[in-house]
């Protein structure tokens, strides 16, 4: 698939272009990050003030959302060119990590209904290139907040996820990554959500995926805590991510 064909695919499947996430949802999350709501921080701390307009300006630059603050409702966008540029930068970082002797990696996702297939493909590939995938704290449980069921760290194809005893669950939490790092510290992390934020906050080289309503990793990248953040819709049909994953792994292979 050529670059132009891949861009067309991203737009047709709404991984980028006119995405499903509404403008109202995006702006609400940017305001929440600006007031440091922990749910939207993904375990990161920031040195800058990052007021609401600062976050919006950054997301326009990094993800391609509409820059106009007067656009308050309706459609919002992710620029597919920015998606591919960041994806290729991610591939270069992964390749550089793999060129080191016996790199130790953690791969994790907080979005099992969407991005899990991407992480699993990456996991299978990096192992063939000499990486060791760490699986610390398997089975560790905690109770997120005052309500809900206990959650546990589980690994599928050595990709870390959370389950609640009956299903794999979506999470923004960084607590599981912090617990994993107490047990074993990797050289490199590929993740999203709080898994990526927790690793970046700990000073580990981290690359991650993030939707346009999840600004924390982009702010983390701007402050040097996250190496690369790839903007994309993180919950389209899993099969739609196939061409994007193939492009990423070809980029990694080219750098080895």
């Amino acid at each position: 698939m050529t670059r132009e064909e891949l861009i067309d695919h991203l737009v047709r499947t709404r991984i980028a272009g006119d995405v499903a996430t509404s403008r109202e949802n995006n702006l609400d999350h940017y305001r929440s990050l600006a007031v440091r709501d922990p749910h939207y921080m993904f375990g990161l701390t920031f040195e800058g003030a990052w007021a609401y307009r600062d976050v919006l300006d950054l997301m326009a630059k990094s993800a391609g959302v509409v820059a106009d603050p007067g656009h308050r409702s309706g459609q919002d966008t992710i620029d597919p060119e920015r998606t591919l540029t960041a994806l290729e930068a991610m591939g270069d970082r992964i390749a550089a990590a793999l060129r080191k002797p016996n790199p130790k990696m953690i791969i994790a996702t907080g979005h099992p209904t969407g991005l899990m297939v991407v992480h699993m493909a990456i996991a299978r590939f990096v192992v063939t290139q000499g990486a060791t995938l760490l699986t610390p704290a398997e089975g560790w449980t905690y109770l997120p907040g005052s309500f809900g069921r206990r959650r546990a760290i589980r690994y599928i194809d050595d990709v870390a996820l959370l389950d609640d005893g009956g299903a794999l669950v979506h999470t923004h939490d960084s607590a599981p990554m912090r617990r994993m790092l107490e047990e074993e510290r990797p050289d490199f992390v590929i993740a999203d959500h709080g898994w990526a934020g927790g690793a970046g906050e700990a000073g580990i080289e981290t690359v991650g995926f993030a939707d346009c309503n999840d600004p924390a990793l982009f702010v983390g990248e701007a402050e040097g805590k996250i190496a690369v953040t790839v903007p994309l819709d993180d919950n389209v049909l899993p099969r739609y991510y196939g061409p994007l994953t193939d492009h990423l792994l070809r980029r990694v292979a080219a750098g080895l």
Side-chain angles (χ1 to χ4, degrees), residues 206-242:
T206 301
V207 295
F209 301 96
D211 208 327
C212 56
N213 64 347
D214 290 332
L217 297 188
F218 295 97
V219 176
E221 182 179 7
E223 292 206 348
K225 290 185 175 181
I226 303 294
V228 178
T229 303
V230 177
L232 81 180
D233 189 307
D234 59 13
N235 198 32
V236 302
L237 291 176
R239 62 186 173 87
Y240 289 164
Y241 294 111

Side-chain angles (χ1 to χ4, degrees), residues 12-96:
R12 283 189 295 103
T13 58
R14 303 185 75 182
I15 293 173
D18 289 345
V19 292
T21 308
S22 70
R23 180 66 168 187
E24 295 93 326
N25 185 262
N26 280 343
L27 299 186
D28 178 67
H29 287 202
Y30 302 168
R31 293 186 187 97
S32 295
L33 181 68
V35 299
R36 302 301 193 266
D37 183 329
H39 183 68
Y40 299 95
M41 296 288 288
F42 290 5
L44 289 160
T45 60
F46 305 128
E47 294 181 4
W50 294 106
Y52 163 70
R53 282 293 300 274
D54 298 326
V55 177
L56 175 57
D57 290 346
L58 176 68
M59 294 304 295
K61 176 182 176 182
S62 299
V65 303
V66 177
D68 180 9
H71 178 55
R72 298 189 178 93
S73 64
Q75 185 66 57
D76 214 339
T77 62
I78 293 175
D79 179 359
E81 289 282 358
R82 287 174 169 85
T83 300
L84 286 190
T85 297
L87 188 75
E88 291 163 355
M90 174 185 278
D92 293 342
R93 288 279 188 158
I94 296 172

Side-chain angles (χ1 to χ4, degrees), residues 154-167:
R154 173 176 292 196
Y155 290 88
I156 299 178
D157 279 359
D158 293 333
V159 175
L161 312 100
L162 288 185
D163 74 59
D164 65 2

Side-chain angles (χ1 to χ4, degrees), residues 86-169:
L87 188 75
E88 291 163 355
M90 174 185 278
D92 293 342
R93 288 279 188 158
I94 296 172
L98 288 171
R99 290 196 298 270
K100 299 175 183 177
N102 190 31
K104 297 179 180 179
M105 298 185 177
I106 285 177
I107 300 179
T109 183
H111 231 310
T113 58
L115 291 177
M116 182 171 71
V117 294
V118 181
H119 290 289
M120 292 171 70
I122 295 170
R124 290 190 292 268
F125 178 84
V126 298
V127 167
T128 68
Q129 303 304 311
T132 297
L133 293 182
L134 305 181
T135 57
E138 185 171 22
W140 176 77
T141 66
Y142 76 113
L143 186 64
S146 302
F147 303 97
R149 302 171 65 173
R150 295 191 69 83
R151 294 181 174 183
I153 296 174
R154 173 176 292 196
Y155 290 88
I156 299 178
D157 279 359
D158 293 333
V159 175
L161 312 100
L162 288 185
D163 74 59
D164 65 2
L168 302 176
V169 295

